[in-house]
Amino acid sequence: MGNMLNKKMMTTLTKIAFVLCVVLGLASQSSAATITITGGNATWGTAANGMSGTPTAGDHVVIDGTNTFIIDASEVVAGGSNVVGNVTAAGAGVLTISTATNAAVTTTIASVDITGAGTITQSVTDQTNRSIATTVTGAFKTGGALVMSDVNNDGATTSAITVGGDIAIGGTTTIGHSTHNAVGNTATLTANGASSVFTGAVTLN
């Protein structure tokens, strides 16, 4: 009798655990959002042009048409890092990562896939000792150009993109300095995926 009761209790507990797993899984999926950028530029955390607030790790950002998604330090999550899911564009959408708010920027993106001729730009603007560190855990692709630049002459700026998946740049690639070429400033693109294809000209300054 005791063994039968134990078996029934175990079966009931197993069912309860399964239901909880399903509920928690659905809750996790429902918390992710699709953010579609329309009508111009949309800056991280600023409610305008489709951006309704601060994106989260599971959110999918869709850049509509030729609009621009701007990631900077204007609003970051606790710990000082921006984290977002996939960033995609079916057209020539633009992705810009910048220190324009006079602060360092650390960002993790699940993947970037711009099928049109949209430009991906990562720029350290004219401020002292600023840095950008971007990690793309999956693929990093655009049919347009990749530009990594800085306009700072203090010799202490760093700009880094680290990619875990495949890289495919359909346009030109420029990695280096646009206005100043101070000794000590660094710009690096680290490819950890199986494939890296740069169709256009590659310029290292």
Side-chain angles (χ1 to χ4, degrees), residues 57-128:
D59 289 347
H60 175 196
V61 176
V62 179
I63 308 171
D64 188 42
T66 57
N67 298 301
T68 301
F69 177 33
I70 301 171
I71 300 175
D72 58 22
S74 59
E75 183 178 340
V76 297
V77 298
S81 298
N82 299 313
V83 183
V84 71
N86 301 316
V87 176
T88 63
V94 176
L95 173 61
T96 298
I97 305 170
S98 171
T99 59
T101 55
N102 198 28
V105 181
T106 302
T107 302
T108 299
I109 304 172
S111 68
V112 178
D113 189 1
I114 300 172
T115 58
T119 300
I120 300 173
T121 300
Q122 180 160 295
S123 62
V124 180
T125 53
D126 200 7
Q127 294 127 11
T128 304

Side-chain angles (χ1 to χ4, degrees), residues 71 95-98 105-109 111-112 119-124 131-142 145-149 158-169 173-176 186-193 196 198:
I71 300 175
L95 173 61
T96 298
I97 305 170
S98 171
V105 181
T106 302
T107 302
T108 299
I109 304 172
S111 68
V112 178
T119 300
I120 300 173
T121 300
Q122 180 160 295
S123 62
V124 180
S131 64
I132 302 179
T134 301
T135 300
V136 181
T137 55
F140 186 62
K141 301 179 179 181
T142 181
L146 169 63
V147 179
M148 296 178 66
S149 65
T158 61
S159 177
I161 298 176
T162 302
V163 182
D166 293 344
I167 297 175
I169 308 299
T173 298
T174 303
I175 301 175
T186 62
T188 58
L189 173 64
T190 303
N192 293 321
S196 297
F198 300 88

